Amino acid sequence: AQKITQTQPGMFVQEKEAVTLDCTYDTSDPSYGLFWYKQPSSGEMIFLIYQGSYDQQNATEGRYSLNFQKARKSANLVISASQLGDSAMYFCAMRARSNFGNEKLTFGTGTRLTIIP
Amino acid sequence: ETGVTQSPTHLIKTRGQQVTLRCSSQSGHNTVSWYQQALGQGPQFIFQYYREEENGRGNFPPRFSGLQFPNYSSELNVNALELDDSALYLCASSLEAHEQYFGPGTRLTVT
């Protein structure tokens, strides 16, 4: 079984500062993928970044980077130069690859990020 | 915009009633997954459909059922609604083992 743990229920960050959102995971599958999604108050889950378990380098997408430490089973999201529009819920999720096609995503409980002007 | 649409946006039902939620997947995607997100929680996997067949199910009772149509759109049906079924229901479409793209969700309130 897969498990995702996000230990920060809420965070307040000054605009333009960098912020790190923590995520640890547990799985016995050797092949898996880790995702971060942003969920504004409207409800839609917006895909931010993906890291495969065999990827040698940390994933980056614009202002988002994923600090992947496989031995520690952590996949922290780093947002550089935070903006007011970054205020939202952030979810870490894991997918274990299946021979039957796509596999379910297991989500953490989320972190509510608030950017302060 | 992901190209995944869901209807209706909001819905209010009474305990014991039945409800059908709809999802249109992104063009070219053949897999649809449904998730339930209770207030203050992360989404929980309900089930997945791949090429019109159920392909995995989470820990939800049989009164949660679904369909996928030849055009890969999908329905989620919930019978005998309970108060705890109040949640945001999200569908996500994907092309086989690739990233899942989510729709805006349907907010269901059961009174």
Side-chain angles (χ1 to χ4, degrees):
Chain A
Q2 292 87 38
K3 184 177 181 181
I4 294 285
T5 302
Q6 294 180 256
T7 57
Q8 305 157 309
M11 290 189 69
F12 291 83
V13 173
Q14 205 74 37
E15 189 180 7
K16 298 181 184 177
E17 289 186 350
V19 56
T20 298
L21 305 182
D22 294 341
C23 172
T24 58
Y25 62 91
D26 190 24
T27 181
S28 57
D29 295 297
S31 178
Y32 51 89
L34 295 157
F35 298 79
W36 277 93
Y37 285 88
K38 173 184 178 181
Q39 187 177 44
S41 56
S42 60
E44 185 170 356
M45 300 289 280
I46 301 169
F47 166 74
L48 295 178
I49 197 166
Y50 167 80
Q51 180 85 41
S53 58
Y54 292 119
D55 293 343
Q56 295 296 315
Q57 293 190 336
N58 287 343
T60 60
E61 291 284 350
R63 293 187 300 114
Y64 305 107
S65 61
L66 200 152
N67 184 3
F68 181 47
Q69 298 188 42
K70 195 170 183 177
R72 294 186 175 184
K73 293 191 174 181
S74 74
N76 298 339
L77 176 70
V78 180
I79 306 174
S80 63
S82 57
Q83 303 171 356
L84 296 178
D86 294 334
S87 294
M89 282 291 289
Y90 287 80
F91 290 96
C92 180
M94 177 167 57
R95 180 191 71 203
R97 194 163 297 280
S98 165
N99 290 330
F100 300 101
N102 206 343
E103 186 57 87
K104 69 173 185 178
L105 291 174
T106 299
F107 286 84
T109 52
T111 296
R112 180 169 296 282
L113 176 64
T114 304
I115 306 301
I116 305 167
Chain B
E1 295 278 331
T2 63
V4 181
T5 61
Q6 292 186 245
S7 62
T9 305
H10 295 86
L11 201 54
I12 300 175
K13 288 287 190 177
T14 304
R15 190 170 50 184
Q17 286 187 317
Q18 179 265 342
V19 68
T20 297
L21 310 182
R22 295 178 175 82
C23 172
S24 291
S25 57
Q26 186 170 329
S27 177
H29 286 183
N30 56 13
T31 303
V32 173
S33 303
W34 285 92
Y35 295 83
Q36 180 196 66
Q37 186 178 16
L39 194 63
Q41 301 294 318
Q44 298 291 318
F45 175 73
I46 303 175
F47 45 57
Q48 181 182 93
Y49 279 83
Y50 171 65
R51 294 186 176 181
E52 303 178 58
E53 298 286 332
E54 188 177 289
N55 179 37
R57 187 179 183 92
N59 189 26
F60 281 81
R63 59 190 186 83
F64 285 78
S65 63
L67 282 173
Q68 188 180 30
F69 300 99
N71 66 355
Y72 301 130
S73 65
S74 177
E75 286 184 355
L76 165 64
N77 299 291
V78 187
N79 294 322
L81 283 167
E82 300 177 0
L83 297 179
D84 286 348
D85 295 334
S86 294
L88 177 68
Y89 288 84
L90 295 162
C91 82
S93 78
S94 59
L95 176 60
E96 299 181 357
H98 291 85
E99 285 72 33
Q100 297 184 17
Y101 293 90
F102 285 81
T106 294
R107 292 190 184 274
L108 172 64
T109 302
V110 182
T111 62

